[in-house]
Amino acid sequence: MSMLPPDALIALQGLLSALQSADNAIRTRAEESLSTDWLGQNPELLLSGLAEQVKAHEDPKIRSFAAVLFRKLSTKTVNKDGSPSDLFSALPANVQVYIRGIMLQAFADEPTASVRNKIGDATAEIARQIIDTDGSWPELLGALFQASKSPDESHREGAFRIFATTPNIIGRQHADAVRGAFQTGFTDESLKVRIAAIEAFSSFFRSIKKDVQKQFWPLLPEILNVLPIIKDAQDSDNLSKTLVALIDLADIAPLMFKSLFPQVVKFGISIVQDKDLSDQARQSALELLVTFADNAPNMCKKDPSYAREMVTQCLSLMTDIGADDEDAEEWNDSDDLDVDESDMNHVAGEQCMDRLANKLGGDAILGPTFGWLPRMLNSSAWRDRHAALMAISAISEGCREQMIGELDKILELVVPAVRDSHPRVRWAGCNALGQMSTDFAGDMQKKHHHIVMSSIIPVLESPEPRVQSHAAAALVNFCEEAEKEDLMPYLDDLLKRLLALLQSPKRYVQEQALSTIATIADSAEAAFGKYYDTLMPLLINVLKHNNQAKENRLLNAKAMECASLIALAVGKEKLGADALQLVQIFGKIQQTATDADDPQGSYLLHCWGRMCRVMGDDFLPYLDGVMPPLLQLASAKADVRLIDDDDQIAQYEQEDGWELVPAGGKYIGIKTSILDDKYLAIELLVTYAQQLEGAFEPYVRKVLNEIAIPGFDFFFNDAVRVASAKLVPQLLNSFKKRYGHQSPELLDIWRPAIEKILTVLGPSDADIAIDTLTEMYQCFYESVEVVGPNSLTPEYMAEFIRKVEIDLGRYRNRVEARLKEAANDDDDWEDSTELLYAIEDDQVLLSDMNKSFHIIFKNQGSSFLPHWERLMHYYDTFIISPDPSQRQWALCIMDDMLEFCGPQSYKYQAHFVKPIMDGLSDKMPSNRQAAAYGVGMAAKNGGEVYAEWVAACIPKLFEVIQFPNARDDDNVFATENACASIAKILHFNRSRVPNPQSVVESWVPTLPVVCDEMVAPYAYMFLVELIEQKNPAILQNITHVFVSVLEALESQSISGRTAERVVSTVKGLLIAAGAQAQQLLAQLPTDKQAAVRKYFS
C-alpha cells in the first residue's frame, strides 16, 4: 500500500522519467518541479515515494535511479527547529520508520546486483544520519548479519558495502557477532565478497578504540590469504583495492602485522617487481610497505631485508621515466613545468626514498642506497644516472647526520653530472646540488662553495632552457643560505650569466633568472651595490613599460620582487631617487592588477612591505594608497560552503584554491586562497606596525577592532589566528610610541585587547593545536610587556590563572595518556614522529607559559603572589617530576618569584629551598642553570631571610662549575650562572659566608663568563670590586684575570658602562702590576695582543 495518493504516485513516476530525459527542456522543467513542487512542498511524500519506487518499480533502471536520487536528496540541508539538519533526519519519526522498513525490504528483495548496491548506498546514508543524531536502527544490523550469510553473493557483498560506509552501527556489544561475520567474509567463495569484507573491516577497525582493536588482530592472516589469489589472477584493480584497505590497517595499527612482517615484505616486494601488473597496483604495494616505515620504524629496522629490498625497488621505479622521449626533445620543448606526475612510477619511487630516509635514518638507508649509486652513475643508460641523482636529492634530508661528514665524497659523485651528455641528467645534477644546499645548509656554503658555484654557473649557458632554468633554481637554494663573503668571489660571473638569461625566448627562464637575482641580492646585501647601476635601471624600465598581457603577469611580478629585494639589499642611501620611482610604478600597477587570479597583486603586497622597511618614515606619504587593498584582504571573511551534491563536489575538487572537509555525509568547502591572502595581509600589517611604530597610529584602532581581535576567532585557519596574535603587541606598541607609556589612549585600547587575549587562553575547544595555543601565550606576555607595570588588574590576573589551570590540566592529561600508551605498547612507540612533535609542542607551551609568569612578576611584583598560589599544587608536582621539562618549568617560576618579589617570596620557601638545592645537581644542564640563577637572585634580592641559605649553597655551586665538560656548549650556561651566583653571594651576603677569602680564591679561576650576557655583569663587577680592594687573589691570578676580561670584551658578554668600568679598573691593575704586567702581555698569543691594543691602548 503506497503512502502516496494515486495522483501523487503518477506524478512522481512521471517526474522520474522526465529527470532522465535526453531532452534538455524536459529535464530542466523536471528539475524545477523537483525543487519547487516536491522538495519545497512535499519532502515527506517525495522521500517516501522514492523509497517505494526503489522497492516496487518493475524497471531496474528506475529502481536504480530512484535509489541514487533518494540518497542525494536525503542529505539536503534543511532547517529543523532553527538548526540545520539533513532532510531525512528532519522528517517526522513515523515517516522515517516507514522509509527504513521499505529500504530494508528493498535491499533484501532486489534481484539485480548493481541496483542492490545503489540501494545499499542509500540505506547506508539513512544509517549515517541516524547515528549522527544519536539514534539507533537495530533492525539494520540484524538485516546485515542475515544478508552476510545469504546464498546470493551480491547480497553478501552488499551487506559488507553497507558495513564499510557506516561502521558505527556495530556497537561494542556486537563484537563477537561481527568478528564471526568478518571471518566468514574473508573466506567467502566469492572474491568480490572477500574484498568487500576486507574494505568493511578496515573501515570498522578505524572506528573502534585502540584497546578494542587488539581483539581483532588475529583476523589478519585470513585477510592476507586473499592477496596471492588476486595477484595470481593478475587482477590489478582488485589488488589495488585490497592493498588500500591494508594500507589503512597499517596506518592505524602497524604492529598488528609484526608476526607476519617478513612475509608481508616479501609479498609486497613481489608485487612492486611485477611489471605485468598496473602501475597503480605496484605503487599501492609500495605505499603499504612504506607506511610501516612511517608508523613502525623499529619493526622495519629489525627486518634484515626490508631496507635493502625497498631501496632496490624504489631505485628501479625511479628509472621508469621519459618513455618514448629518449633524447628529451619533448621534455625540453614543453613550457609547462608544473605537469602533474604524482601518479608516475618515478615520482612514487622518489617520494618513498624520502620517507624511508626520514623515518629510518641514514644508518639503515645509506648502505643499501650507496651500494647501487656508483654503478648507476656510471651506467650507460641515462635513466639510471638520473635516478641515482634524484635518490641523493631524496635521502639527503633524512640522512643528514651521516652524510654531512662525507660531503666531499658525495660531491665527487654528483658534480660530473652537471656536465653529462644528456640534458635530463644535467637537470638532475642541478637538482641534487640545490637540494643538498638546503639540506646541508651552512656546510655546503662555507666549506664547498667553490666546487658548487664553479659547477653550476657554467650550466646557466646550457643549450636547453629547462636545464638553464633549473641551474638558476639550484642557485637560489645555495645563495639563500650563503654568507655574503662566500658569495662575493662569484658575483661578477654569476650576474653576467643571469643577465644573459633575461634575454631568453622562454618566459619561465626569465622568471627564474629574476628570482635568482633577487635571492642573490637578499644574501649579498650591501655588496650587491656594485651591480645596482646595471640592474635597477633595467628593472625600472621593464616595469615602466610592462606588458599587462595575462601570460606576462608573473614575469612582471618577478621583476617587482627583484627590484624591491635589491632595494632592501643596497639600502636607502644607494636607492636614492629610485625609491620614488619604484613606489610610483608599484602604485600604477596596483591600479591595474585587479583580476582575482593576477599574481601581481600578492607580489605587490610583499613589495610594499619591503619598500616600507627600506624607506622608513619616508614611506608614510604612500601608506594611504597601500592600506585600502591591504585592509580589504586582511578583513576578508571566510568563503565556506556546505556541499551536499555529488556533481558540486566533483566541480570543487577540480577547482584550484578549495579544500573539501568531510562533515556528516556532506562536505564543507573552504576557499583556501582567500585564507592565504588574509594571512599574508595580516603579516604585512605586522611589518608596517613594526617599522613605522608611532606613525602607524592612525590605523591602529581600525586594525585592532576590525582585523586583529576578530582574527583570534578565525577558526578556519590557524595561521590567520597566529598572525592576528603577532599583530596585537605591535599595535599596542604603536600607540605607546605615539601617546606615551600609561597614556589614556593606550589604556583605552588595552582593555579590549587584554580581555580578548584572555578568552583565547584555556580555550573551550580542548582540541586546539598546541603550537597555536603557545602563540596565544606569546601574544599575552608580549602585550603585557608593551603596556608595562600595573597593566593587569586583580581581575585580569585571576582570570589568567584560571585559564592557565585549564591548560595545565589538559597538559597533564596529555602526558598521562602518553605514559599509558608507552606502558601498553611495545618497542615502536618511542619512534613515533607525531609523538616526538607532541612532546616538543608541550615543552614549548610550558616555556611560553613561563615567559608569561616572568613578565607578570616583572611588571606586577608581589601583587601577583596571591593569584599564583592557586597553581602551587602543579608546582609541587612538577618540581619533583622525573620529566626534566616539568622540573625546569617549576624552577624558572621560583627564579622569577625570587627575582621580582624578594623577601615576600620567603612565605613559600618550604616549597622551593630544597628543590633548588637539588636542582644544582640535576642531570639536565638547563635545570642546573635555572637552579644556580635562583640562588643568585635570592642572594641579590632576597635580603636577610635568605642569607644563611645562599651561603650554604656555595659548595653546590662549585660542584656545578666542576661538572664534567663544564665549558661545553650544553653545560656552559649552567657553569657561568654558578660563577655569577657565587659572586652575588660574596657581594650581598659576605658576612654569612664562612672563610670568604678562601671562597674568593676559589672563585677567581671560575672566570670567564662569555656566553650569558645576563649574568656576566655581576661576575665582572664583583671582579672590579676585588681589584679595587687589592684582594690578594687577583695578583695571584693576574694572567687569568686579564685573559678572562679580554674574552668577555671580545664576546661582548659585557658592554656599555659595565665594560668601560671593567676596562678602566683593569688598566689600573696593569699599571700597578708594572713589570709583571709587561711580561704577561709579551706572553699573550698574537690574536690576544691585538685585542689588548683594541681595548687597552
Side-chain angles (χ1 to χ4, degrees):
M1 181 75 181
S2 174
M3 191 180 207
L4 276 68
D7 57 338
L9 179 61
I10 293 169
L12 179 61
Q13 290 174 338
L15 178 70
L16 291 176
S17 177
L19 286 170
Q20 299 178 84
S21 173
D23 187 316
N24 285 338
I26 295 174
R27 195 169 63 252
T28 299
R29 287 195 298 271
E31 288 168 353
E32 291 173 356
S33 175
L34 174 65
S35 176
T36 305
D37 302 332
W38 292 91
L39 270 174
Q41 298 180 28
N42 295 297
E44 298 170 27
L45 289 182
L46 174 62
L47 291 189
S48 300
L50 287 174
E52 291 173 0
Q53 295 305 300
V54 168
K55 177 178 180 294
H57 202 285
E58 60 186 18
D59 186 344
K61 291 182 180 179
I62 296 293
R63 296 198 301 273
S64 177
F65 180 69
V68 171
L69 189 60
F70 177 94
R71 177 175 174 271
K72 179 178 178 179
L73 297 178
S74 69
T75 65
K76 288 287 183 185
T77 302
V78 297
N79 188 296
K80 181 183 180 183
D81 301 327
S83 299
S85 168
D86 289 310
L87 179 58
F88 177 83
S89 297
L91 298 177
N94 64 315
V95 177
Q96 290 188 36
V97 170
Y98 175 74
I99 291 173
R100 281 156 42 179
I102 290 180
M103 295 299 283
L104 279 185
Q105 194 61 51
F107 178 77
D109 295 345
E110 177 56 51
T112 306
S114 61
V115 178
R116 187 183 298 109
N117 286 340
K118 298 292 190 299
I119 298 171
D121 293 341
T123 304
E125 176 55 37
I126 295 173
R128 181 198 64 76
Q129 293 189 33
I130 291 170
I131 293 164
D132 286 353
T133 54
D134 298 322
S136 63
W137 192 3
E139 298 87 355
L140 173 62
L141 195 57
L144 293 180
F145 281 138
Q146 192 65 36
S148 71
K149 303 172 186 176
S150 168
D152 186 330
E153 74 169 54
S154 67
H155 263 107
R156 302 195 300 274
E157 180 190 2
F160 286 116
R161 282 169 59 94
I162 296 177
F163 275 135
T165 52
T166 55
N168 291 325
I169 64 172
I170 306 169
R172 183 186 292 266
Q173 66 272 26
H174 300 296
D176 290 336
V178 78
R179 186 184 297 108
F182 282 131
Q183 278 181 309
T184 303
F186 297 154
T187 57
D188 197 282
E189 62 184 18
S190 166
L191 186 59
K192 284 184 179 181
V193 177
R194 288 191 184 189
I195 294 171
I198 293 170
E199 290 178 322
F201 178 77
S202 173
S203 180
F204 163 74
F205 194 81
R206 182 173 285 280
S207 74
I208 58 179
K209 293 181 179 179
K210 193 166 186 177
D211 57 346
V212 180
Q213 289 174 352
K214 286 191 174 182
Q215 300 175 22
F216 293 88
W217 285 18
L219 296 181
L220 182 63
E222 292 175 348
I223 297 175
L224 296 177
N225 287 338
V226 178
L227 289 172
I229 300 170
I230 307 174
K231 180 177 179 289
D232 290 345
Q234 294 287 290
D235 186 349
S236 290
D237 290 344
N238 279 324
L239 186 58
S240 292
K241 286 175 64 177
T242 309
L243 288 168
V244 167
L246 286 170
I247 290 166
D248 210 28
L249 296 178
D251 183 54
I252 303 163
L255 298 183
M256 177 184 187
F257 293 77
K258 188 172 184 179
S259 62
L260 298 168
F261 190 60
Q263 296 95 306
V264 172
V265 172
K266 184 178 180 180
F267 186 77
I269 292 294
S270 75
I271 296 175
V272 181
Q273 288 175 322
D274 192 340
K275 295 183 180 180
D276 291 330
L277 293 168
S278 69
D279 288 348
Q280 183 182 4
R282 297 171 67 199
Q283 291 176 26
S284 296
L286 189 72
E287 178 62 29
L288 171 63
L289 295 175
V290 79
T291 298
F292 291 116
D294 288 340
N295 297 287
N298 272 352
M299 184 169 75
C300 297
K301 291 176 187 177
K302 290 175 181 177
D303 185 279
S305 65
Y306 178 85
R308 183 184 71 252
E309 294 285 3
M310 286 292 287
V311 167
T312 300
Q313 295 312 313
C314 286
L315 291 172
S316 177
L317 288 173
M318 289 166 66
T319 64
D320 189 2
I321 184 173
D324 304 321
D325 191 24
E326 188 64 32
D327 58 1
E329 182 179 351
E330 181 182 334
W331 171 81
N332 193 54
D333 286 344
S334 173
D335 287 353
D336 185 359
L337 307 188
D338 299 318
V339 177
D340 183 11
E341 295 185 323
S342 59
D343 59 347
M344 305 293 284
N345 282 339
H346 69 94
V347 174
E350 290 168 23
Q351 292 174 347
C352 183
M353 287 291 285
D354 175 66
R355 290 161 67 183
L356 290 171
N358 277 296
K359 294 298 182 177
L360 304 187
D363 290 338
I365 295 301
L366 277 185
T369 304
F370 278 88
W372 282 104
L373 293 194
R375 280 179 278 174
M376 296 177 73
L377 286 166
N378 288 312
S379 170
S380 60
W382 72 263
R383 293 178 178 84
D384 290 347
R385 304 195 298 277
H386 182 280
L389 293 161
M390 297 305 291
I392 292 173
S393 301
I395 68 171
S396 59
E397 179 187 9
C399 300
R400 185 181 193 279
E401 185 179 337
Q402 293 79 10
M403 291 174 69
I404 198 164
E406 305 290 334
L407 283 182
D408 51 346
K409 297 177 183 175
I410 297 170
L411 286 169
E412 287 177 8
L413 294 174
V414 173
V415 164
V418 300
R419 299 187 293 272
D420 197 277
S421 60
H422 198 282
R424 296 200 70 165
V425 177
R426 294 200 300 280
W427 184 97
C430 293
N431 192 80
L433 290 174
Q435 190 63 51
M436 290 170 67
S437 296
T438 297
D439 294 334
F440 306 116
D443 279 55
M444 280 284 282
Q445 286 78 2
K446 187 60 66 177
K447 299 177 183 178
H448 305 285
H449 55 82
H450 177 70
I451 188 170
V452 174
M453 296 298 273
S454 60
S455 300
I456 296 183
I457 291 174
V459 187
L460 295 172
E461 294 183 332
S462 287
E464 303 88 3
R466 290 193 68 168
V467 178
Q468 293 174 337
S469 174
H470 211 55
L475 285 166
V476 168
N477 291 38
F478 184 88
C479 294
E480 65 188 1
E481 301 290 348
E483 300 293 336
K484 58 184 176 184
E485 57 268 20
D486 295 325
L487 285 180
M488 286 177 65
Y490 311 101
L491 290 181
D492 286 350
D493 201 13
L494 193 49
L495 270 300
K496 175 186 172 185
R497 313 282 180 104
L498 289 169
L499 281 168
L501 291 186
L502 292 178
Q503 309 303 316
S504 170
K506 295 287 188 179
R507 192 180 302 107
Y508 68 80
V509 175
Q510 298 175 43
E511 291 166 359
Q512 183 59 64
L514 286 168
S515 291
T516 306
I517 292 169
T519 303
I520 294 168
D522 194 35
S523 296
E525 297 175 332
F528 199 83
K530 176 181 177 182
Y531 310 97
Y532 180 88
D533 293 334
T534 300
L535 274 163
M536 188 59 83
L538 174 66
L539 291 168
I540 288 176
N541 185 59
V542 168
L543 291 170
K544 273 184 175 179
H545 305 94
N546 69 78
N547 181 345
Q548 281 295 320
K550 194 164 187 174
E551 62 271 15
N552 288 318
R553 289 173 175 177
L554 182 58
L555 183 63
N556 295 334
K558 295 280 187 181
M560 290 190 294
E561 176 187 55
C562 188
S564 61
L565 278 168
I566 291 174
L568 196 59
V570 301
K572 183 177 180 179
E573 186 175 343
K574 180 68 175 175
L575 190 60
D578 288 341
L580 179 61
Q581 282 203 75
L582 281 176
V583 293
Q584 289 176 343
I585 290 168
F586 292 166
K588 289 179 180 177
I589 294 173
Q590 180 170 286
Q591 293 172 5
T592 59
T594 55
D595 291 350
D597 62 347
D598 190 339
Q600 293 175 110
S602 60
Y603 274 76
L604 259 175
L605 294 178
H606 286 292
C607 292
W608 286 128
R610 294 185 196 110
M611 296 309 294
C612 176
R613 288 167 61 191
V614 73
M615 294 173 69
D617 287 348
D618 289 346
F619 186 74
L620 286 173
Y622 308 99
L623 196 59
D624 286 344
V626 171
M627 289 297 289
L630 186 63
L631 292 174
Q632 184 178 2
L633 280 177
S635 305
K637 308 298 182 187
D639 188 350
V640 180
R641 305 177 189 181
L642 186 64
I643 307 167
D644 54 13
D645 183 278
D646 290 343
D647 294 335
Q648 282 185 317
I649 292 169
Q651 177 185 338
Y652 281 106
E653 285 177 337
Q654 296 301 315
E655 285 188 30
D656 289 336
W658 284 90
E659 178 183 354
L660 298 183
V661 180
K666 302 181 179 67
Y667 283 86
I668 295 174
I670 303 172
K671 193 163 188 179
T672 54
S673 56
I674 289 179
L675 308 187
D676 294 340
D677 288 345
K678 183 179 179 75
Y679 163 72
L680 168 61
I682 297 175
E683 284 274 284
L684 286 167
L685 289 172
V686 174
T687 297
Y688 290 132
Q690 279 177 333
Q691 296 297 318
L692 301 175
E693 294 189 315
F696 193 69
E697 177 271 336
Y699 298 97
V700 166
R701 286 187 186 276
K702 179 178 180 65
V703 171
L704 181 69
N705 295 324
E706 297 180 15
I707 295 169
I709 288 178
F712 283 110
D713 297 328
F714 201 82
F715 296 105
F716 298 105
N717 187 281
D718 277 353
V720 169
R721 301 183 70 200
V722 168
S724 301
K726 291 182 182 300
L727 179 57
V728 169
Q730 302 304 326
L731 297 174
L732 293 169
N733 185 59
S734 179
F735 250 47
K736 180 180 176 180
K737 295 289 185 181
R738 172 66 177 82
Y739 294 109
H741 175 64
Q742 295 290 312
S743 62
E745 291 85 356
L746 176 60
L747 296 178
D748 187 45
I749 67 166
W750 169 236
R751 280 188 289 273
I754 183 60
E755 288 168 7
K756 186 62 190 181
I757 294 168
L758 288 170
T759 67
V760 297
L761 305 179
S764 56
D765 178 13
D767 294 328
I768 184 175
I770 302 304
D771 55 349
T772 300
L773 179 60
T774 299
E775 295 285 352
M776 302 303 145
Y777 275 97
Q778 183 175 335
C779 172
F780 172 83
Y781 70 71
E782 288 182 353
S783 298
V784 173
E785 181 79 326
V786 169
V787 181
N790 302 314
S791 54
L792 296 175
T793 64
E795 292 76 18
Y796 291 156
M797 287 188 282
E799 180 65 4
F800 173 77
I801 291 295
R802 187 181 77 81
K803 292 306 191 77
V804 169
E805 282 188 285
I806 293 171
D807 287 327
L808 282 175
R810 290 170 179 168
Y811 161 77
R812 187 166 59 186
N813 292 340
R814 292 192 297 273
V815 171
E816 289 173 356
R818 290 196 288 263
L819 292 173
K820 181 180 178 182
E821 188 172 0
N824 292 337
D825 277 344
D826 64 16
D827 58 356
D828 259 84
W829 179 82
E830 75 278 5
D831 274 315
S832 166
T833 303
E834 288 185 6
L835 170 71
L836 297 176
Y837 282 141
I839 292 172
E840 182 181 350
D841 284 346
D842 273 333
Q843 289 172 343
V844 177
L845 174 63
L846 287 183
S847 175
D848 274 49
M849 275 189 187
N850 269 353
K851 290 175 185 174
S852 299
F853 292 131
H854 172 80
I855 295 300
I856 298 176
F857 274 122
K858 175 182 174 182
N859 286 283
Q860 302 292 143
S862 57
S863 68
F864 183 52
L865 287 174
H867 304 285
W868 151 249
E869 281 186 12
R870 286 165 48 189
L871 299 180
M872 190 60 76
H873 61 288
Y874 283 106
Y875 166 83
D876 288 337
T877 301
F878 284 15
I879 196 68
I880 58 172
S881 168
D883 182 344
S885 62
Q886 292 185 9
R887 297 197 302 276
Q888 185 180 33
W889 181 88
L891 286 166
C892 288
I893 290 173
M894 290 305 106
D895 290 353
D896 291 327
M897 191 181 294
L898 287 163
E899 182 173 1
F900 299 113
C901 302
Q904 291 97 322
S905 66
Y906 194 74
K907 173 183 177 182
Y908 308 98
Q909 57 85 25
H911 292 273
F912 62 78
V913 164
K914 183 179 183 301
I916 286 181
M917 187 79 84
D918 292 341
L920 294 170
S921 303
D922 199 294
K923 293 181 180 179
M924 287 292 293
S926 57
N927 289 354
R928 294 198 303 277
Q929 174 191 347
Y933 184 83
V935 174
M937 284 296 104
K940 177 178 178 290
N941 297 340
E944 188 65 22
V945 291
Y946 285 109
E948 294 283 354
W949 175 65
V950 297
C953 289
I954 288 176
K956 299 285 285 186
L957 290 167
F958 276 115
E959 288 180 16
V960 175
I961 295 167
Q962 293 156 7
F963 203 86
N965 305 311
R967 292 282 172 180
D968 284 359
D969 289 347
D970 289 340
N971 297 310
V972 67
F973 282 90
T975 302
E976 293 187 350
N977 271 265
C979 168
S981 291
I982 295 171
K984 292 173 190 173
I985 296 168
L986 289 167
H987 176 77
F988 292 102
N989 308 93
R990 185 184 180 91
S991 63
R992 299 299 182 90
V993 177
N995 195 2
Q997 182 57 33
S998 174
V999 176
V1000 168
E1001 290 171 359
S1002 299
W1003 175 79
V1004 172
T1006 68
L1007 292 167
V1009 177
V1010 294
C1011 294
D1012 196 330
E1013 59 189 34
M1014 183 183 295
V1015 300
Y1018 295 104
Y1020 284 96
M1021 289 308 292
F1022 181 64
L1023 181 66
V1024 166
E1025 185 179 318
L1026 295 177
I1027 294 171
E1028 291 175 343
Q1029 293 170 354
K1030 297 183 173 56
N1031 193 295
I1034 298 298
L1035 289 176
Q1036 293 166 10
N1037 295 278
I1038 189 168
T1039 301
H1040 182 74
V1041 167
F1042 188 63
V1043 171
S1044 296
V1045 169
L1046 275 181
E1047 290 179 352
L1049 292 167
E1050 288 186 284
S1051 68
Q1052 298 183 342
S1053 64
I1054 56 173
S1055 58
R1057 292 183 179 179
T1058 300
E1060 291 172 5
R1061 177 82 186 279
V1062 172
V1063 168
S1064 174
T1065 305
V1066 172
K1067 280 183 179 179
L1069 173 65
L1070 294 175
I1071 293 169
Q1076 183 183 356
Q1078 295 301 318
Q1079 184 180 4
L1080 159 66
L1081 294 174
Q1083 293 174 352
L1084 289 175
T1086 305
D1087 61 329
K1088 288 288 189 287
Q1089 289 185 13
V1092 171
R1093 288 192 294 272
K1094 177 179 178 182
Y1095 295 109
F1096 293 97
S1097 59

